[in-house]
């Protein structure tokens, strides 16, 4: 249960503590990476890294920190937070044909905190934003706003604040244009994975993604596929955390399947060069596991790279044209793949 306590401390600590916890440098990767852009970010500074070693420094204002990154048709977009005047606000930067611009803040901030902004990218353009908002870290609601290229549309509340926490927000836009959000919510006993989908102009009522259980389910991540979506999260089976995958097929979630070793935490789902990968830390082996997945969620092959869990890496193509890992302190490490399944 140690990971659960650390995770909740980072997410639900007072604002000043939560901000200091992310000051160190980290690398962000788009959930759907076709141009191989990376974003090296720390509080007050950020650098866009492009193929061939090209870099562009971004000037951020005091106490700004970028936490989400996406590729677009004409460039990229990044979202994060800024602490100012006793509130934590959302910032969005977009690099396009007109150059680098700072989008206006999403409207109608009614609470002190806005955290975990997630870019919703549709047809390779920023289509909106999802985030958590509340008066304190234990009372966060889930909200969204669409972006029409010029203005933010009215804010929508997908899930109001609950008696327990709501954390680990992840979102994507599906092939049919609908929006899908997944997150972890405390149900009075433990955290469970919930989801909601926006079709047309209406959000569905939040529902459990998998059958209720008496052990924590945390840190979900989602990516869109041609026929639906894949979600991965850490599930505690009563003994240790295990990596769990479920597939959205049309409007139905398929039964969850367990993959990987004991102590599987911190999942990252991404599409790199049109191939789906699941990256997570295997604490029992002190390594990062990489699973190449079919759109159905079936594991095609797997690899591992030794490394501690306190610095999250991202997937990259190494100089030898192999899939590997890159972190803020290690330029690249080639993955050792097992046999195809």
């Amino acid at each position: 249960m140690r990971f659960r306590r650390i995770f909740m401390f980072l997410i639900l600590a007072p604002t000043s503590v939560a901000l200091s916890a992310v000051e160190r440098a980290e690398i962000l990767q788009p959930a759907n990476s076709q141009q191989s852009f990376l974003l090296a970010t720390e509080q007050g500074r950020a650098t866009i890294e492009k193929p061939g070693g090209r870099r562009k420094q971004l000037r951020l204002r005091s106490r700004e920190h970028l936490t989400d990154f996406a590729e677009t048709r004409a460039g990229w977009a990044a979202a994060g937070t800024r602490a100012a005047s006793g509130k934590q606000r959302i910032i969005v930067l977009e690099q396009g044909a007109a150059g680098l611009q700072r989008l206006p803040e999403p409207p109608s901030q009614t609470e002190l905190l806005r955290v975990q902004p997630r870019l919703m990218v549709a047809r390779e353009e920023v289509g909106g934003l999802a985030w958590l908002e509340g008066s304190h870290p234990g009372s966060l609601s889930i909200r969204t706003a669409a972006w029409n290229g010029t203005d933010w549309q009215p804010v929508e509340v997908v899930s109001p604040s609950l008696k327990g926490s709501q954390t680990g927000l992840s979102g994507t836009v599906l092939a049919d244009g609908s929006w899908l959000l997944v997150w972890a919510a405390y149900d009075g006993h433990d955290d469970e994975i919930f989801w909601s989908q926006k079709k047309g102009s209406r959000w569905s009522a939040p529902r459990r993604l998998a059958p209720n259980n008496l052990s924590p389910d945390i840190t979900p991540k989602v990516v869109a596929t041609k026929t639906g979506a894949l979600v991965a999260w850490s599930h505690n089976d009563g003994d240790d955390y295990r990596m769990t995958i479920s597939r959205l097929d049309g409007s139905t979630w398929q039964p969850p399947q367990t993959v990987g070793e004991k102590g599987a935490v911190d999942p990252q789902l991404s599409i790199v060069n049109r191939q789906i990968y699941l990256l997570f830390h295997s604490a029992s082996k002190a390594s990062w596991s990489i699973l190449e997945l079919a759109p159905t969620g079936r594991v095609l092959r797997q690899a591992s790279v030794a490394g501690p869990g306190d610095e999250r890496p991202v997937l990259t193509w190494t100089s030898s044209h192999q899939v590997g890992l890159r972190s803020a302190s290690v330029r690249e490490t080639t993955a050792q793949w097992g046999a195809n399944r």
Side-chain angles (χ1 to χ4, degrees):
M1 300 296 287
R2 179 173 176 269
F3 175 77
R4 158 75 179 171
R5 290 195 294 270
I6 294 173
F7 169 76
M8 293 305 296
F9 172 77
L10 291 177
I11 297 299
L12 300 180
T15 308
S16 58
V17 176
L19 286 174
S20 64
V22 295
E23 284 182 353
R24 64 183 179 186
E26 61 178 331
I27 304 292
L28 301 180
Q29 180 179 46
N32 192 335
S33 177
Q34 305 301 325
Q35 304 176 64
S36 300
F37 288 176
L38 295 176
L39 176 64
T41 178
E42 56 188 306
Q43 188 167 304
R45 294 192 299 175
T47 304
I48 299 293
E49 299 186 7
K50 301 179 181 180
R54 295 172 296 160
R55 297 188 176 192
K56 179 179 180 180
Q57 298 284 338
L58 303 179
R59 291 187 178 181
L60 301 181
R61 299 170 185 172
S62 175
R63 304 192 73 183
E64 290 186 339
H65 186 78
L66 298 176
T67 55
D68 197 30
F69 184 50
E71 291 179 0
T72 62
R73 181 178 293 109
W76 53 265
T81 57
R82 172 172 61 92
S85 304
K87 287 188 175 183
Q88 186 157 294
R89 304 178 182 276
I90 288 176
I91 60 171
V92 180
L93 305 179
E94 185 175 27
Q95 174 72 52
L100 180 61
Q101 63 173 332
R102 181 180 290 256
L103 273 57
E105 288 185 31
S108 308
Q109 180 167 354
T110 59
E111 305 290 352
L112 291 176
L113 298 179
R114 279 182 167 177
V115 297
Q116 295 182 30
R118 299 292 180 252
L119 293 160
M120 305 298 287
V121 177
R123 299 181 180 88
E124 300 182 272
E125 300 290 351
V126 175
L129 198 69
W131 67 91
L132 302 176
E133 182 168 335
S135 58
H136 59 85
S139 66
L140 299 175
S141 62
I142 296 175
R143 308 188 183 197
T144 65
W147 172 255
N148 64 11
T150 304
D151 300 299
W152 292 104
Q153 303 305 294
V155 172
E156 298 177 287
V157 178
V158 178
S159 180
S161 60
L162 307 175
K163 292 183 180 180
S165 62
Q166 297 189 105
T167 66
L169 181 65
S170 183
T172 190
V173 178
L174 303 186
D176 63 5
S178 63
W179 289 19
L180 176 66
L181 297 179
V182 297
W183 66 94
Y186 187 70
D187 65 359
H189 182 273
D190 66 324
D191 278 2
E192 298 289 345
I193 306 302
F194 283 77
W195 69 288
S196 179
Q197 187 175 9
K198 183 181 182 181
K199 291 186 175 182
S201 60
R202 300 186 64 178
W203 282 98
S204 63
R207 289 171 284 174
R208 283 185 173 86
L209 190 149
N212 190 19
N213 56 61
L214 300 180
S215 299
D217 294 89
I218 59 175
T219 58
K221 291 294 186 294
V222 60
V223 294
T225 65
K226 291 182 178 179
T227 60
L230 288 178
V231 173
W233 70 91
S234 288
H235 165 66
N236 191 297
D237 63 4
D239 176 46
D240 211 330
Y241 278 96
R242 306 273 185 169
M243 195 53 51
T244 304
I245 300 174
S246 184
R247 172 171 57 96
L248 178 64
D249 188 3
S251 59
T252 303
W253 289 101
Q254 300 303 308
Q257 58 176 314
T258 300
V259 297
E261 304 289 338
K262 294 171 57 176
V265 296
D266 200 10
Q268 302 296 318
L269 267 175
S270 57
I271 299 175
V272 180
N273 289 343
R274 298 179 175 84
Q275 178 58 55
I276 304 171
Y277 294 96
L278 170 59
L279 170 68
F280 58 91
H281 191 249
S282 295
S284 62
K285 293 187 173 181
S287 65
W288 288 90
S289 294
I290 309 170
L291 304 185
E292 184 177 319
L293 304 177
T296 60
R298 182 172 65 90
V299 178
L300 300 177
R301 59 175 182 157
Q302 61 185 51
S304 64
V305 175
D310 58 355
E311 185 178 13
R312 179 188 298 161
V314 297
L315 292 167
T316 186
W317 288 102
T318 67
S319 55
S320 58
H321 304 289
Q322 300 292 324
V323 175
L325 298 184
R326 161 76 196 282
S327 66
S329 61
V330 179
R331 186 66 188 176
E332 64 178 37
T333 304
T334 302
Q336 302 301 314
W337 291 94
N340 292 358
R341 295 191 175 187

PDB file of all heavy atoms in Angstrom, residues 118-142:
ATOM      1  N   ARG A 118      -6.084  18.297 -19.103  1.00  0.00           N
ATOM      2  CA  ARG A 118      -5.860  17.296 -20.139  1.00  0.00           C
ATOM      3  C   ARG A 118      -6.366  17.830 -21.473  1.00  0.00           C
ATOM      4  O   ARG A 118      -7.544  18.160 -21.614  1.00  0.00           O
ATOM      5  CB  ARG A 118      -6.594  15.989 -19.795  1.00  0.00           C
ATOM      6  CG  ARG A 118      -6.129  15.351 -18.491  1.00  0.00           C
ATOM      7  CD  ARG A 118      -4.709  14.831 -18.611  1.00  0.00           C
ATOM      8  NE  ARG A 118      -4.233  14.206 -17.373  1.00  0.00           N
ATOM      9  CZ  ARG A 118      -3.333  14.749 -16.558  1.00  0.00           C
ATOM     10  NH1 ARG A 118      -2.806  15.930 -16.850  1.00  0.00           N
ATOM     11  NH2 ARG A 118      -2.951  14.106 -15.469  1.00  0.00           N
ATOM     12  N   LEU A 119      -5.463  17.911 -22.447  1.00  0.00           N
ATOM     13  CA  LEU A 119      -5.822  18.393 -23.774  1.00  0.00           C
ATOM     14  C   LEU A 119      -6.665  17.356 -24.502  1.00  0.00           C
ATOM     15  O   LEU A 119      -6.325  16.172 -24.526  1.00  0.00           O
ATOM     16  CB  LEU A 119      -4.563  18.694 -24.587  1.00  0.00           C
ATOM     17  CG  LEU A 119      -3.714  19.874 -24.090  1.00  0.00           C
ATOM     18  CD1 LEU A 119      -2.293  19.764 -24.633  1.00  0.00           C
ATOM     19  CD2 LEU A 119      -4.348  21.195 -24.484  1.00  0.00           C
ATOM     20  N   MET A 120      -7.756  17.799 -25.102  1.00  0.00           N
ATOM     21  CA  MET A 120      -8.615  16.919 -25.896  1.00  0.00           C
ATOM     22  C   MET A 120      -8.386  17.293 -27.361  1.00  0.00           C
ATOM     23  O   MET A 120      -8.785  18.375 -27.818  1.00  0.00           O
ATOM     24  CB  MET A 120     -10.073  17.097 -25.493  1.00  0.00           C
ATOM     25  CG  MET A 120     -10.325  16.898 -23.997  1.00  0.00           C
ATOM     26  SD  MET A 120      -9.933  15.221 -23.409  1.00  0.00           S
ATOM     27  CE  MET A 120     -11.302  14.305 -24.117  1.00  0.00           C
ATOM     28  N   VAL A 121      -7.710  16.410 -28.095  1.00  0.00           N
ATOM     29  CA  VAL A 121      -7.300  16.689 -29.468  1.00  0.00           C
ATOM     30  C   VAL A 121      -8.187  15.901 -30.428  1.00  0.00           C
ATOM     31  O   VAL A 121      -8.268  14.672 -30.350  1.00  0.00           O
ATOM     32  CB  VAL A 121      -5.819  16.321 -29.687  1.00  0.00           C
ATOM     33  CG1 VAL A 121      -5.413  16.552 -31.131  1.00  0.00           C
ATOM     34  CG2 VAL A 121      -4.938  17.133 -28.744  1.00  0.00           C
ATOM     35  N   ALA A 122      -8.857  16.629 -31.323  1.00  0.00           N
ATOM     36  CA  ALA A 122      -9.750  16.020 -32.313  1.00  0.00           C
ATOM     37  C   ALA A 122      -9.297  16.427 -33.706  1.00  0.00           C
ATOM     38  O   ALA A 122      -9.096  17.611 -33.978  1.00  0.00           O
ATOM     39  CB  ALA A 122     -11.193  16.462 -32.080  1.00  0.00           C
ATOM     40  N   ARG A 123      -9.139  15.454 -34.582  1.00  0.00           N
ATOM     41  CA  ARG A 123      -8.694  15.695 -35.961  1.00  0.00           C
ATOM     42  C   ARG A 123      -7.412  16.541 -36.000  1.00  0.00           C
ATOM     43  O   ARG A 123      -7.276  17.466 -36.786  1.00  0.00           O
ATOM     44  CB  ARG A 123      -9.803  16.358 -36.777  1.00  0.00           C
ATOM     45  CG  ARG A 123     -11.074  15.510 -36.887  1.00  0.00           C
ATOM     46  CD  ARG A 123     -12.123  16.212 -37.728  1.00  0.00           C
ATOM     47  NE  ARG A 123     -13.337  15.410 -37.824  1.00  0.00           N
ATOM     48  CZ  ARG A 123     -14.325  15.459 -36.949  1.00  0.00           C
ATOM     49  NH1 ARG A 123     -14.259  16.268 -35.917  1.00  0.00           N
ATOM     50  NH2 ARG A 123     -15.400  14.685 -37.097  1.00  0.00           N
ATOM     51  N   GLU A 124      -6.506  16.212 -35.089  1.00  0.00           N
ATOM     52  CA  GLU A 124      -5.185  16.847 -35.016  1.00  0.00           C
ATOM     53  C   GLU A 124      -5.255  18.328 -34.654  1.00  0.00           C
ATOM     54  O   GLU A 124      -4.324  19.082 -34.948  1.00  0.00           O
ATOM     55  CB  GLU A 124      -4.418  16.668 -36.329  1.00  0.00           C
ATOM     56  CG  GLU A 124      -4.175  15.213 -36.703  1.00  0.00           C
ATOM     57  CD  GLU A 124      -3.373  15.083 -37.977  1.00  0.00           C
ATOM     58  OE1 GLU A 124      -3.998  15.070 -39.060  1.00  0.00           O
ATOM     59  OE2 GLU A 124      -2.131  15.012 -37.886  1.00  0.00           O
ATOM     60  N   GLU A 125      -6.339  18.748 -34.022  1.00  0.00           N
ATOM     61  CA  GLU A 125      -6.471  20.120 -33.535  1.00  0.00           C
ATOM     62  C   GLU A 125      -6.966  20.098 -32.090  1.00  0.00           C
ATOM     63  O   GLU A 125      -7.678  19.162 -31.693  1.00  0.00           O
ATOM     64  CB  GLU A 125      -7.455  20.933 -34.389  1.00  0.00           C
ATOM     65  CG  GLU A 125      -7.073  21.053 -35.855  1.00  0.00           C
ATOM     66  CD  GLU A 125      -5.857  21.929 -36.094  1.00  0.00           C
ATOM     67  OE1 GLU A 125      -5.393  22.586 -35.134  1.00  0.00           O
ATOM     68  OE2 GLU A 125      -5.356  21.942 -37.237  1.00  0.00           O
ATOM     69  N   VAL A 126      -6.587  21.108 -31.321  1.00  0.00           N
ATOM     70  CA  VAL A 126      -7.092  21.215 -29.955  1.00  0.00           C
ATOM     71  C   VAL A 126      -8.596  21.445 -29.999  1.00  0.00           C
ATOM     72  O   VAL A 126      -9.067  22.428 -30.555  1.00  0.00           O
ATOM     73  CB  VAL A 126      -6.400  22.355 -29.185  1.00  0.00           C
ATOM     74  CG1 VAL A 126      -7.036  22.527 -27.795  1.00  0.00           C
ATOM     75  CG2 VAL A 126      -4.907  22.083 -29.051  1.00  0.00           C
ATOM     76  N   GLY A 127      -9.334  20.504 -29.438  1.00  0.00           N
ATOM     77  CA  GLY A 127     -10.793  20.612 -29.436  1.00  0.00           C
ATOM     78  C   GLY A 127     -11.357  21.017 -28.099  1.00  0.00           C
ATOM     79  O   GLY A 127     -12.546  21.346 -27.990  1.00  0.00           O
ATOM     80  N   GLY A 128     -10.510  21.016 -27.062  1.00  0.00           N
ATOM     81  CA  GLY A 128     -10.990  21.398 -25.745  1.00  0.00           C
ATOM     82  C   GLY A 128     -10.046  20.941 -24.658  1.00  0.00           C
ATOM     83  O   GLY A 128      -8.894  20.553 -24.907  1.00  0.00           O
ATOM     84  N   LEU A 129     -10.561  20.960 -23.438  1.00  0.00           N
ATOM     85  CA  LEU A 129      -9.742  20.700 -22.266  1.00  0.00           C
ATOM     86  C   LEU A 129     -10.612  20.065 -21.188  1.00  0.00           C
ATOM     87  O   LEU A 129     -11.797  20.386 -21.057  1.00  0.00           O
ATOM     88  CB  LEU A 129      -9.153  22.019 -21.753  1.00  0.00           C
ATOM     89  CG  LEU A 129      -7.957  21.981 -20.809  1.00  0.00           C
ATOM     90  CD1 LEU A 129      -6.710  21.482 -21.542  1.00  0.00           C
ATOM     91  CD2 LEU A 129      -7.696  23.381 -20.252  1.00  0.00           C
ATOM     92  N   ALA A 130     -10.026  19.164 -20.414  1.00  0.00           N
ATOM     93  CA  ALA A 130     -10.658  18.605 -19.220  1.00  0.00           C
ATOM     94  C   ALA A 130      -9.735  18.854 -18.043  1.00  0.00           C
ATOM     95  O   ALA A 130      -8.513  18.898 -18.203  1.00  0.00           O
ATOM     96  CB  ALA A 130     -10.918  17.108 -19.395  1.00  0.00           C
ATOM     97  N   TRP A 131     -10.290  19.020 -16.850  1.00  0.00           N
ATOM     98  CA  TRP A 131      -9.462  19.284 -15.679  1.00  0.00           C
ATOM     99  C   TRP A 131     -10.235  18.964 -14.403  1.00  0.00           C
ATOM    100  O   TRP A 131     -11.434  18.679 -14.428  1.00  0.00           O
ATOM    101  CB  TRP A 131      -8.983  20.736 -15.665  1.00  0.00           C
ATOM    102  CG  TRP A 131     -10.072  21.755 -15.457  1.00  0.00           C
ATOM    103  CD1 TRP A 131     -10.518  22.274 -14.258  1.00  0.00           C
ATOM    104  CD2 TRP A 131     -10.861  22.398 -16.469  1.00  0.00           C
ATOM    105  NE1 TRP A 131     -11.529  23.182 -14.468  1.00  0.00           N
ATOM    106  CE2 TRP A 131     -11.754  23.284 -15.816  1.00  0.00           C
ATOM    107  CE3 TRP A 131     -10.893  22.313 -17.858  1.00  0.00           C
ATOM    108  CZ2 TRP A 131     -12.672  24.069 -16.520  1.00  0.00           C
ATOM    109  CZ3 TRP A 131     -11.810  23.089 -18.552  1.00  0.00           C
ATOM    110  CH2 TRP A 131     -12.677  23.963 -17.884  1.00  0.00           C
ATOM    111  N   LEU A 132      -9.528  19.012 -13.270  1.00  0.00           N
ATOM    112  CA  LEU A 132     -10.125  18.875 -11.952  1.00  0.00           C
ATOM    113  C   LEU A 132     -10.187  20.246 -11.304  1.00  0.00           C
ATOM    114  O   LEU A 132      -9.241  21.036 -11.407  1.00  0.00           O
ATOM    115  CB  LEU A 132      -9.303  17.929 -11.077  1.00  0.00           C
ATOM    116  CG  LEU A 132      -9.100  16.507 -11.601  1.00  0.00           C
ATOM    117  CD1 LEU A 132      -8.174  15.730 -10.667  1.00  0.00           C
ATOM    118  CD2 LEU A 132     -10.422  15.790 -11.761  1.00  0.00           C
ATOM    119  N   GLU A 133     -11.291  20.537 -10.594  1.00  0.00           N
ATOM    120  CA  GLU A 133     -11.447  21.844  -9.959  1.00  0.00           C
ATOM    121  C   GLU A 133     -12.151  21.691  -8.615  1.00  0.00           C
ATOM    122  O   GLU A 133     -13.120  20.925  -8.501  1.00  0.00           O
ATOM    123  CB  GLU A 133     -12.255  22.784 -10.861  1.00  0.00           C
ATOM    124  CG  GLU A 133     -12.415  24.182 -10.291  1.00  0.00           C
ATOM    125  CD  GLU A 133     -12.956  25.181 -11.308  1.00  0.00           C
ATOM    126  OE1 GLU A 133     -12.780  24.960 -12.530  1.00  0.00           O
ATOM    127  OE2 GLU A 133     -13.530  26.201 -10.875  1.00  0.00           O
ATOM    128  N   GLY A 134     -11.645  22.403  -7.608  1.00  0.00           N
ATOM    129  CA  GLY A 134     -12.265  22.344  -6.293  1.00  0.00           C
ATOM    130  C   GLY A 134     -11.695  23.373  -5.343  1.00  0.00           C
ATOM    131  O   GLY A 134     -10.697  24.037  -5.643  1.00  0.00           O
ATOM    132  N   SER A 135     -12.329  23.489  -4.179  1.00  0.00           N
ATOM    133  CA  SER A 135     -11.881  24.456  -3.175  1.00  0.00           C
ATOM    134  C   SER A 135     -10.667  23.944  -2.413  1.00  0.00           C
ATOM    135  O   SER A 135      -9.897  24.726  -1.861  1.00  0.00           O
ATOM    136  CB  SER A 135     -13.014  24.760  -2.192  1.00  0.00           C
ATOM    137  OG  SER A 135     -13.462  23.567  -1.561  1.00  0.00           O
ATOM    138  N   HIS A 136     -10.487  22.616  -2.358  1.00  0.00           N
ATOM    139  CA  HIS A 136      -9.302  22.022  -1.753  1.00  0.00           C
ATOM    140  C   HIS A 136      -9.075  20.666  -2.420  1.00  0.00           C
ATOM    141  O   HIS A 136      -9.972  20.137  -3.095  1.00  0.00           O
ATOM    142  CB  HIS A 136      -9.450  21.892  -0.231  1.00  0.00           C
ATOM    143  CG  HIS A 136     -10.616  21.055   0.198  1.00  0.00           C
ATOM    144  ND1 HIS A 136     -10.555  19.685   0.309  1.00  0.00           N
ATOM    145  CD2 HIS A 136     -11.883  21.404   0.534  1.00  0.00           C
ATOM    146  CE1 HIS A 136     -11.714  19.223   0.712  1.00  0.00           C
ATOM    147  NE2 HIS A 136     -12.552  20.237   0.852  1.00  0.00           N
ATOM    148  N   PRO A 137      -7.883  20.073  -2.272  1.00  0.00           N
ATOM    149  CA  PRO A 137      -7.554  18.868  -3.031  1.00  0.00           C
ATOM    150  C   PRO A 137      -8.465  17.674  -2.785  1.00  0.00           C
ATOM    151  O   PRO A 137      -8.493  16.753  -3.601  1.00  0.00           O
ATOM    152  CB  PRO A 137      -6.112  18.557  -2.586  1.00  0.00           C
ATOM    153  CG  PRO A 137      -5.557  19.883  -2.185  1.00  0.00           C
ATOM    154  CD  PRO A 137      -6.700  20.617  -1.552  1.00  0.00           C
ATOM    155  N   GLY A 138      -9.209  17.645  -1.693  1.00  0.00           N
ATOM    156  CA  GLY A 138     -10.099  16.530  -1.427  1.00  0.00           C
ATOM    157  C   GLY A 138     -11.513  16.724  -1.933  1.00  0.00           C
ATOM    158  O   GLY A 138     -12.376  15.886  -1.690  1.00  0.00           O
ATOM    159  N   SER A 139     -11.765  17.833  -2.645  1.00  0.00           N
ATOM    160  CA  SER A 139     -13.140  18.105  -3.106  1.00  0.00           C
ATOM    161  C   SER A 139     -13.155  18.483  -4.584  1.00  0.00           C
ATOM    162  O   SER A 139     -13.819  19.441  -4.985  1.00  0.00           O
ATOM    163  CB  SER A 139     -13.749  19.240  -2.286  1.00  0.00           C
ATOM    164  OG  SER A 139     -13.064  20.458  -2.545  1.00  0.00           O
ATOM    165  N   LEU A 140     -12.426  17.730  -5.392  1.00  0.00           N
ATOM    166  CA  LEU A 140     -12.266  18.103  -6.793  1.00  0.00           C
ATOM    167  C   LEU A 140     -13.400  17.552  -7.652  1.00  0.00           C
ATOM    168  O   LEU A 140     -13.758  16.376  -7.556  1.00  0.00           O
ATOM    169  CB  LEU A 140     -10.926  17.590  -7.320  1.00  0.00           C
ATOM    170  CG  LEU A 140      -9.682  18.145  -6.609  1.00  0.00           C
ATOM    171  CD1 LEU A 140      -8.428  17.465  -7.133  1.00  0.00           C
ATOM    172  CD2 LEU A 140      -9.583  19.658  -6.787  1.00  0.00           C
ATOM    173  N   SER A 141     -13.948  18.400  -8.499  1.00  0.00           N
ATOM    174  CA  SER A 141     -14.920  17.987  -9.509  1.00  0.00           C
ATOM    175  C   SER A 141     -14.214  17.848 -10.848  1.00  0.00           C
ATOM    176  O   SER A 141     -13.084  18.316 -11.024  1.00  0.00           O
ATOM    177  CB  SER A 141     -16.044  19.016  -9.618  1.00  0.00           C
ATOM    178  OG  SER A 141     -15.523  20.280 -10.023  1.00  0.00           O
ATOM    179  N   ILE A 142     -14.870  17.210 -11.815  1.00  0.00           N
ATOM    180  CA  ILE A 142     -14.310  17.039 -13.155  1.00  0.00           C
ATOM    181  C   ILE A 142     -15.073  17.939 -14.110  1.00  0.00           C
ATOM    182  O   ILE A 142     -16.305  17.856 -14.207  1.00  0.00           O
ATOM    183  CB  ILE A 142     -14.393  15.566 -13.594  1.00  0.00           C
ATOM    184  CG1 ILE A 142     -13.528  14.721 -12.661  1.00  0.00           C
ATOM    185  CG2 ILE A 142     -13.961  15.406 -15.045  1.00  0.00           C
ATOM    186  CD1 ILE A 142     -13.622  13.250 -12.902  1.00  0.00           C
TER     187      ILE A 142
END
